[in-house]
Amino acid sequence: MYRYDEYDQQIVDERVTLYRDQVRRRLANELTEDEFLPLRLQNGLYMQVHGYMLRIAVPYGLISATQMRMFAHIARKYDRGYGHFTTRQNIQFNWLRLEDTPDILADLASVEMHAIQTSGNCIRNITSDEYAGVAQDEVIDPRPYAEILRQWSTFHPEFAFLPRKFKIAISGGKEDRAAITAHDIGLSVTRNAQGEIGFRVLVGGGLGRTPIIGSEICEFVPWQHILTYAESILRIYNQYGRRDNKYKARIKILVKALGIDEFRRQVEADWANAKDGPGTLTEEELNRVASYFTDPDYATLSNHNSALNEFKADNRSFSNWFQRNVKPHRVPGYAIVVLSLKKLGVAPGDATAEQMDQVADLAERYSFGELRITHKQNLVLADVKQADLIRLWKEASTSGLTTPNIGLLTDMISCPGAEFCTLANARSIPLAELIAERFDSLDFQHDIGEIELNISGCMNACGQNHIGNIGITGVEKKNHDEWYQVSIGGAKGNNSSIGKIIGPSFTFNQVPEAIDRLLQVYLRERIEAERFIDTVRRIGHAPFKEHVYATTFEVEQEEVTDKSVVTPAQYSVPFYSPRF
Amino acid sequence: MKIIKNKIIMEDDWNVLRLNEQETAEDIVVKPGKQIVPLKVWLAQRSTLQLRSDLGVWLASDERPETIKDDLQQFSVIAVDFPRFADGRGYSIAYNLRVHLSYTGELRAIGDVLRDQFFYMQRVGFDAFAPRPDRSIEDALKGFSDYSEVYQVSYDQKLPLFRRVQRKGRLATGSVNE
Ligand code: HEM
Ligand code: SF4
């Protein structure tokens, strides 16, 4: 994993000093909230329902045990004892005080972390494949490139005030696990016919109000040129992206308006000036950064472990877990373990300070001291000896991290929703819990098999509802009641697609029943081992729609008096800005 | 009025001409003296304006620097307007003027110009700043030294960090487990 050298450390330390001064000026009213807002946003600080929310960058989802312990410390000292891992491989703390945030950033800097560019209209934290470096289908390890892009984008002077946020994702496997088609720039590291390394570059993907799958702008940009090429894309976007309407400001709208061919022409005209210039990446720099991502000291092992097989045969819980939460590793004798943060009764992605400490211990004991955060809001131990799996499973079970549901129905993605987010139309987390309760039966979940269920509290789509096999979105109705739209047919990965809404929206309590009916159609129609998404693609929406709306919904309506029912923070917030 | 030029606070007697709603680029009478005129006025009145010895022009954030690519020698100063500090087009305008059009004269940031943006502005090629008059200009000077190192290429720094210094890699920093 990457370590800061003196330059990285200095830049992050200077940021803390600068931010401390900005907070001081804000508290002294030398800065208005309007002026402070973009500054705090560039430090990942939002104003939300309960107070300040801080989003901390976990570059491409990779984190050390020491850093995880720092999260635990922050959760205990400054927050309410827990944190929320996000779909963009970051972590958020929801209950902070403005006055404390400079100290939190200083704590983070002491373990080589920061909150730079985790919000605001700038280049955001770069996300990647959670199995990078260990996946069996990997073509090229994307992590060195992700780190190089992180450095390039950090405080890029020209692109700090873009029309809108800008998200880059990078993957290096045959299968795309980074949702690169749903990003402003999606990069796939590959080899061309000559064996040279480069990037397939997609542009203009994004979710939100106008979900669009990215278009290919270049089939192959040699790795040396990726920084200058990305810079040209950003420069065209910075100049021509719309700024009159924030819902039309993402690069996807510009690419759509110009057409990919015209957009490409403009980018390449700009690139002609920078190509081969000093911004070109050098072999030496690539090697320096790549030196941090070389293999750990793997032991020479074989894949067969009879003790494991015996235990699997005897222990149903373990074999369920093994089947769902353990993934094949590139190196014989090793396995990838996914620790589920989707336990019944817990908000998807939430982890307590104790759990953070425990996973840090597990990482040190079993996985070379490193962890990953997944875009599905789970945690990964990437390098576990197969021979350690039983012990690891027993220990992780005591921390509530072994729910055997990875890839199944209850491995849901959910945004924070109305309890935590000022933009929400409806609650997300309680709905996720209601659904999890309804489909708690593991046998049923195993029968349904692989399926992705994504929930967002509004059309900003933080829960990536558009690319969920089943997507649920809180929609606004005049009377401010909570209503949810349900879509099916969305998918991420190589064969990604945007889901389509099945029909009129549902109340909070109707949603689980609607999902149940969708699943009934799937069970009725599926052929052999077909996944839910395959059935939807084969038979189309009509049979689903027909069945869901065929009979009335007999569920009680619960009166929701206050959607932000979590007790608000018990301190006065003098520097309040209603919207981020 | 005071401005910051090459990181020094100095008196400045340029006037930034802004048209009000009744005025048009064709009809406005540009007063004598040091005037920074809107691009539109320059384009409309070029034949008379180019006779002046001291003239400046300013670009709005949606205007293109290429429009004046053949006129750059005509101006003693080119200014770029930031209607709101969050409108970041001016950064690319400045970069294009400096890097693609090789403009070497004074490049001034005007409008909603605040010290927290100075660091970025100087990097893309601004060398003069007219900070908002309601803020302390002395305080604003601090904005230039926010960071002592930068990673990437821009106008001020022709080489990226990895070409400028010897960065040492894993052997020097150690790995997470050491
Ligand atoms: C609670 C505070 C949050 C606020 C106010 C917020 C706000 C927003 C907004 C306004 C958008 C739409 C941007 C656009 O379309 O231009 C968005 C998109 C997104 N956010 Fe959030 N968000 C929050 C939390 C989260 C969390 C917790 C996650 C991860 C679990 C997340 C992940 C995303 C993703 C993946 C997108 C879609 C990006 C796209 O449109 O391509 N956000 N967010
Ligand atoms: S999808 Fe909407 S409700 Fe959910 S976090 Fe994003 S902005 Fe908030």
Side-chain angles (χ1 to χ4, degrees):
Chain A
M1 170 173 169
Y2 189 72
R3 297 289 315 264
Y4 285 4
D5 66 2
E6 69 264 37
Y7 297 99
D8 302 305
Q9 190 66 53
Q10 182 179 356
I11 287 170
V12 167
D13 289 345
E14 284 171 348
R15 167 54 129 212
V16 176
T17 309
L18 185 66
Y19 177 72
R20 201 180 281 286
D21 187 54
Q22 289 165 347
V23 171
R24 181 196 60 74
R25 284 189 283 147
R26 173 69 191 115
L27 293 172
N29 264 321
E30 287 171 34
L31 285 173
T32 66
E33 181 57 26
D34 264 6
E35 290 158 3
F36 181 58
L37 183 140
L39 304 175
R40 68 168 161 79
L41 283 186
Q42 304 226 343
N43 280 298
L45 194 68
Y46 286 80
M47 180 72 217
Q48 286 299 332
V49 177
H50 308 291
Y52 283 94
M53 176 203 99
L54 181 68
R55 184 181 295 151
I56 297 163
V58 182
Y60 37 97
L62 213 59
I63 177 177
S64 71
T66 313
Q67 293 172 330
M68 185 60 90
R69 289 203 183 93
M70 184 54 83
F71 288 167
H73 166 77
I74 291 169
R76 280 197 193 98
K77 179 157 179 198
Y78 305 103
D79 204 280
R80 297 195 161 186
Y82 69 98
H84 179 74
F85 290 101
T86 80
T87 52
R88 300 205 67 258
Q89 302 179 303
N90 292 326
I91 188 169
Q92 293 182 178
F93 289 101
N94 275 301
W95 311 81
L96 304 175
R97 297 169 352 128
L98 179 59
E99 300 84 308
D100 289 336
T101 51
D103 290 340
I104 298 175
L105 292 191
D107 285 351
L108 288 169
S110 73
V111 294
E112 306 178 10
M113 297 204 101
H114 60 72
I116 294 164
Q117 291 169 212
T118 56
S119 53
N121 295 332
C122 51
I123 305 173
R124 299 291 190 86
N125 186 33
I126 290 159
T127 53
S128 187
D129 183 347
E130 53 242 27
Y131 303 151
V134 294
Q136 282 187 332
D137 71 341
E138 188 155 278
V139 183
I140 304 287
D141 186 348
R143 293 172 300 174
Y145 300 101
E147 174 59 28
I148 285 167
L149 284 160
R150 179 191 76 81
Q151 298 189 15
W152 162 78
S153 66
T154 299
F155 305 138
H156 197 298
E158 211 181 324
F159 308 131
F161 297 96
L162 295 168
R164 203 76 179 86
K165 58 170 84 168
F166 202 90
K167 300 179 179 177
I168 302 177
I170 171 168
S171 79
K174 289 207 182 79
E175 177 65 32
D176 161 30
R177 280 173 294 265
I180 63 167
T181 58
H183 282 77
D184 297 283
I185 291 181
L187 300 172
S188 153
V189 209
T190 65
R191 278 181 203 279
N192 65 7
Q194 287 74 49
E196 294 154 343
I197 294 173
F199 297 84
R200 176 170 177 246
V201 182
L202 308 181
V203 70
L207 303 172
R209 280 166 203 249
T210 321
I212 296 179
I213 297 285
S215 314
E216 183 178 286
I217 179 167
C218 189
E219 196 190 344
F220 190 81
V221 175
W223 64 268
Q224 297 89 333
H225 300 299
I226 193 58
L227 299 183
T228 52
Y229 195 83
E231 189 155 310
S232 290
I233 293 178
L234 264 304
R235 185 166 299 122
I236 299 302
Y237 171 55
N238 189 37
Q239 295 173 89
Y240 297 106
R242 284 181 63 172
R243 290 175 188 262
D244 57 329
N245 177 342
K246 85 172 192 182
Y247 301 118
K248 297 196 160 44
R250 295 284 293 269
I251 194 174
K252 61 192 172 189
I253 305 290
L254 177 66
V255 173
K256 259 243 148 14
L258 292 176
I260 184 68
D261 294 327
E262 172 59 16
F263 184 76
R264 178 185 303 114
R265 193 195 61 73
Q266 296 191 10
V267 168
E268 299 208 336
D270 186 86
W271 190 43
N273 296 299
K275 186 167 184 268
D276 296 317
T280 309
L281 203 50
T282 59
E283 187 104 39
E284 192 190 356
E285 173 66 355
L286 177 63
N287 289 340
R288 176 186 80 85
V289 177
S291 74
Y292 290 100
F293 299 100
T294 49
D295 279 355
D297 289 330
Y298 289 126
T300 312
L301 302 169
S302 76
N303 259 338
H304 293 284
N305 187 323
S306 49
L308 202 61
N309 289 334
E310 266 171 43
F311 193 70
K312 261 197 310 201
D314 290 350
N315 189 318
R316 179 87 193 283
S317 309
F318 179 78
S319 71
N320 280 339
W321 178 77
F322 186 87
Q323 189 192 342
R324 295 309 323 176
N325 298 30
V326 178
K327 309 285 168 191
H329 194 286
R330 180 171 66 74
V331 177
Y334 283 84
I336 304 171
V337 170
V338 187
L339 299 171
S340 173
L341 294 179
K342 312 292 174 66
K343 192 175 148 64
L344 183 61
V346 179
D350 272 9
T352 62
E354 291 66 40
Q355 284 177 320
M356 294 177 199
D357 278 338
Q358 285 152 356
V359 295
D361 292 348
L362 293 176
E364 273 175 351
R365 231 166 311 142
Y366 299 112
S367 196
F368 298 101
E370 291 185 20
L371 285 145
R372 291 131 188 255
I373 297 161
T374 79
H375 76 281
K376 289 197 74 177
Q377 305 176 280
N378 294 311
L379 302 174
V380 163
L381 296 171
D383 295 297
V384 180
K385 280 186 190 150
Q386 291 172 6
D388 286 338
L389 284 172
I390 298 170
R391 258 170 50 209
L392 167 62
W393 174 73
K394 285 183 179 156
E395 289 174 31
S397 300
T398 60
S399 313
L401 295 165
T402 52
T403 312
N405 62 351
I406 299 306
L408 299 181
L409 187 60
T410 54
D411 186 12
M412 280 174 269
I413 292 180
S414 166
C415 82
E419 295 158 296
F420 296 94
C421 174
T422 51
L423 304 178
N425 294 323
R427 292 169 300 164
S428 307
I429 292 171
L431 181 62
E433 282 169 10
L434 194 70
I435 296 169
E437 264 168 49
R438 166 91 175 227
F439 302 106
D440 188 32
S441 155
L442 257 185
D443 288 338
F444 181 71
Q445 286 189 51
H446 276 266
D447 186 23
I448 297 294
E450 262 174 52
I451 188 164
E452 307 226 315
L453 178 68
N454 297 50
I455 307 173
S456 301
C458 75
M459 52 289 213
N460 286 318
C462 301
Q464 304 180 324
N465 46 289
H466 303 294
I467 52 173
N469 301 163
I470 298 178
I472 299 171
T473 318
V475 286
E476 198 162 8
K477 288 271 166 107
K478 276 196 207 76
N479 54 8
H480 294 291
D481 273 355
E482 291 180 301
W483 288 88
Y484 298 87
Q485 258 169 5
V486 174
S487 62
I488 57 172
K492 60 177 196 298
N494 292 1
N495 199 357
S496 52
S497 53
I498 304 281
K500 276 203 307 228
I501 293 163
I502 58 169
S505 39
F506 302 95
T507 63
F508 184 83
N509 282 309
Q510 287 172 346
V511 175
E513 174 62 20
I515 294 171
D516 195 55
R517 292 181 187 185
L518 289 171
L519 297 175
Q520 286 164 19
V521 178
Y522 163 63
L523 291 173
R524 192 182 73 205
E525 301 288 336
R526 73 171 162 194
I527 300 174
E528 290 166 12
E530 207 176 43
R531 297 171 306 165
F532 178 83
I533 181 70
D534 302 322
T535 307
V536 175
R537 284 180 176 153
R538 182 171 53 79
I539 68 176
H541 278 55
F544 289 95
K545 183 171 175 165
E546 198 182 309
H547 185 67
V548 169
Y549 296 100
T551 49
T552 50
F553 282 75
E554 289 176 14
V555 283
E556 297 161 34
Q557 292 311 317
E558 159 213 48
E559 279 305 314
V560 182
T561 43
D562 181 4
K563 286 185 256 176
S564 317
V565 280
V566 182
T567 330
Q570 296 301 313
Y571 53 83
S572 58
V573 186
F575 298 99
Y576 180 79
S577 116
R579 289 273 149 125
F580 75 103
Chain B
M1 196 190 117
K2 285 198 163 91
I3 66 157
I4 298 174
K5 199 169 159 185
N6 297 319
K7 300 187 190 169
I8 295 166
I9 298 172
M10 53 173 66
E11 276 303 326
D12 178 73
D13 50 4
W14 282 98
N15 176 54
V16 177
L17 177 67
R18 291 182 187 267
L19 301 187
N20 64 32
E21 275 169 25
Q22 285 80 48
E23 293 165 338
T24 63
E26 291 72 26
D27 298 337
I28 182 88
V29 179
V30 182
K31 293 209 186 99
K34 293 162 93 171
Q35 299 286 341
I36 303 180
V37 303
L39 174 66
K40 285 200 197 76
V41 172
W42 163 252
L43 295 175
Q45 305 190 21
R46 174 198 204 113
S47 54
T48 51
L49 287 176
Q50 67 183 359
L51 303 173
R52 294 187 172 221
S53 58
D54 243 357
L55 184 73
V57 69
W58 66 266
L59 302 176
S61 65
D62 60 352
E63 290 171 339
R64 312 287 317 155
E66 292 79 31
T67 320
I68 47 168
K69 70 173 189 305
D70 299 322
D71 305 338
L72 296 176
Q73 306 73 17
Q74 305 273 352
F75 309 114
S76 311
V77 51
I78 297 179
V80 176
D81 185 44
F82 288 82
R84 297 176 304 119
F85 63 84
D87 182 342
R89 285 175 284 195
Y91 296 89
S92 288
I93 295 175
Y95 182 86
N96 282 335
L97 267 171
R98 289 295 196 202
V99 176
H100 295 165
L101 305 177
S102 308
Y103 173 68
T104 52
E106 178 181 331
L107 186 55
R108 184 182 294 197
I110 60 172
D112 197 7
V113 174
L114 296 164
R115 78 176 237 200
D116 296 289
Q117 279 80 54
F118 283 6
F119 187 79
Y120 292 150
M121 286 178 170
Q122 71 173 352
R123 291 216 59 204
V124 296
F126 287 104
D127 55 4
F129 304 83
R132 258 178 37 192
D134 58 334
R135 292 301 145 80
S136 151
I137 195 163
E138 285 77 20
D139 271 355
L141 272 183
K142 294 181 195 148
F144 292 110
S145 45
D146 285 350
Y147 302 98
S148 42
E149 258 314 341
V150 294
Y151 289 115
Q152 60 294 89
V153 191
S154 194
Y155 175 68
D156 68 327
Q157 192 45 271
K158 304 285 188 276
L159 295 176
L161 187 62
F162 61 78
R163 285 183 194 262
R164 263 185 288 126
V165 302
Q166 181 75 36
R167 301 189 69 185
K168 289 190 276 310
R170 182 179 195 155
L171 289 178
T173 55
S175 72
V176 248
N177 305 306
E178 280 151 21

